[in-house]
C-alpha cells in the first residue's frame, strides 16, 4: 500500500492568517498495491491536522474479495453509537432501510473480484462538522455495477458522539480491500468570505 500524507505547512496560511484560497485540501491518499484488511486515516500535523477543517470528504473506488458492505468507524469506536438510513436500487428492487444502533457507519456496497477483475465500486462520503460538540453526520453515495444488475444508493449516518473526529477506519465488511483500490481524503476549510 502506498500512503501519502500531506504534513506540509498549510499554503492557505499567510503570516499566521488564514486566507480564503481553495476550500478543498488534499490530506491523505491510500493506493493499494497489495490486499489490505482496512484503510486508516489519522489526523497529525500541518495540512493533515484535522482540527482546522469544518468537514471531510472521502472519494474512493474499491474492490473486495467478498461482496458486501463498506463500513467505517471513527476514533476506534466499535460500540453501538451509530445509526443510518439508506435508500437504494439494485436493478430489480428499490427500497429503504434504517438501523437505529450499530457499531459502524454503513457507507455503501462493494463488488468482489469474482464480479470482474476490472469492476470496482465507487464511494463518495461527506462528513460534516467534524470538530463540533454535537453528534456527527455523514452522507455517502455509492455505486457498484454488474452489467446492469448493480447497486446504487445514498446513506445518511449519525455517530452519536460529541468528540472531534481524529481517525477513520474504512473497512470492507467481510473481506479485504483488493490491490488497485484507492481512497483519497480531503479537508474542507471554513469559508472566510461571504458568497
Amino acid at each position: 500500500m502506498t500512503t501519502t500524507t500531506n504534513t506540509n505547512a498549510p499554503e492557505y496560511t499567510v503570516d499566521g492568517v488564514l486566507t480564503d484560497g481553495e476550500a478543498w485540501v488534499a490530506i491523505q491518499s491510500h493506493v493499494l498495491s497489495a490486499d489490505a484488511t482496512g484503510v486508516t486515516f489519522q489526523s497529525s500535523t500541518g495540512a493533515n491536522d484535522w482540527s482546522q477543517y469544518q468537514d471531510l470528504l472521502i472519494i474512493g473506488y474499491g474492490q473486495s474479495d467478498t461482496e458486501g458492505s463498506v463500513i467505517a468507524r471513527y476514533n476506534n469506536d466499535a460500540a453501538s453509537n451509530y445509526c443510518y438510513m439508506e435508500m437504494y436500487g439494485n436493478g430489480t428492487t428499490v427500497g429503504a432501510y434504517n438501523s437505529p444502533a450499530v457499531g459502524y457507519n454503513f457507507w455503501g456496497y462493494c463488488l468482489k473480484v469474482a464480479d470482474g477483475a476490472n469492476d470496482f465500486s465507487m464511494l463518495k462520503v461527506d462528513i460534516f462538522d467534524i470538530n463540533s460538540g454535537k453528534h456527527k453526520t455523514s452522507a455517502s453515495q455509492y455505486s457498484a455495477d454488474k452489467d446492469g444488475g448493480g447497486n446504487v444508493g445514498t446513506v445518511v449516518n449519525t455517530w452519536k458522539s460529541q468528540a472531534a473526529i481524529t481517525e477513520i477506519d474504512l473497512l470492507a465488511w467481510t473481506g479485504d480491500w483488493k490491490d488497485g483500490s484507492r481512497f483519497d481524503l480531503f479537508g474542507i476549510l471554513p469559508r472566510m468570505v461571504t458568497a
Side-chain angles (χ1 to χ4, degrees):
M1 170 175 26
T2 302
T3 302
T4 306
T5 302
N6 182 355
T7 58
N8 295 331
E11 295 176 8
Y12 42 85
T13 312
V14 178
D15 296 326
V17 177
L18 185 63
T19 62
D20 192 44
E22 286 295 318
W24 284 30
V25 179
I27 301 176
Q28 293 180 38
S29 292
H30 291 287
V31 181
L32 302 184
S33 56
D35 297 355
T37 56
V39 170
T40 298
F41 296 105
Q42 288 183 305
S43 179
S44 63
T45 61
N48 190 46
D49 177 0
W50 300 0
S51 67
Q52 63 196 310
Y53 299 113
Q54 181 172 330
D55 304 325
L56 295 175
L57 173 72
I58 296 174
I59 298 175
Y61 60 94
Q63 184 185 67
S64 179
D65 50 359
T66 59
E67 197 165 1
S69 301
V70 177
I71 65 166
R73 293 187 176 106
Y74 300 138
N75 300 357
N76 295 308
D77 182 4
S80 295
N81 293 326
Y82 306 86
C83 58
Y84 68 89
M85 173 61 104
E86 175 193 23
M87 294 176 287
Y88 62 89
N90 66 9
T92 58
T93 305
V94 175
Y97 180 79
N98 76 309
S99 184
V102 292
Y104 52 85
N105 285 301
F106 171 73
W107 280 350
Y109 178 79
C110 184
L111 292 174
K112 64 183 181 294
V113 174
D115 292 325
N118 295 314
D119 292 337
F120 284 73
S121 303
M122 177 284 301
L123 177 69
K124 176 184 171 282
V125 183
D126 295 288
I127 309 167
F128 303 104
D129 285 336
I130 65 164
N131 292 300
S132 71
K134 59 187 175 186
H135 292 176
K136 310 304 182 286
T137 301
S138 66
S140 63
Q141 298 169 319
Y142 66 91
S143 66
D145 185 51
K146 297 188 295 188
D147 299 324
N151 290 279
V152 295
T154 187
V155 187
V156 176
N157 288 268
T158 299
W159 180 42
K160 296 178 269 186
S161 174
Q162 294 175 289
I165 297 172
T166 58
E167 180 177 324
I168 301 168
D169 296 311
L170 182 60
L171 306 163
W173 178 249
T174 58
D176 292 340
W177 291 117
K178 301 305 283 181
D179 177 14
S181 297
R182 177 185 179 124
F183 302 95
D184 298 300
L185 178 68
F186 298 87
I188 310 298
L189 292 166
R191 300 302 297 173
M192 297 290 105
V193 296
T194 55

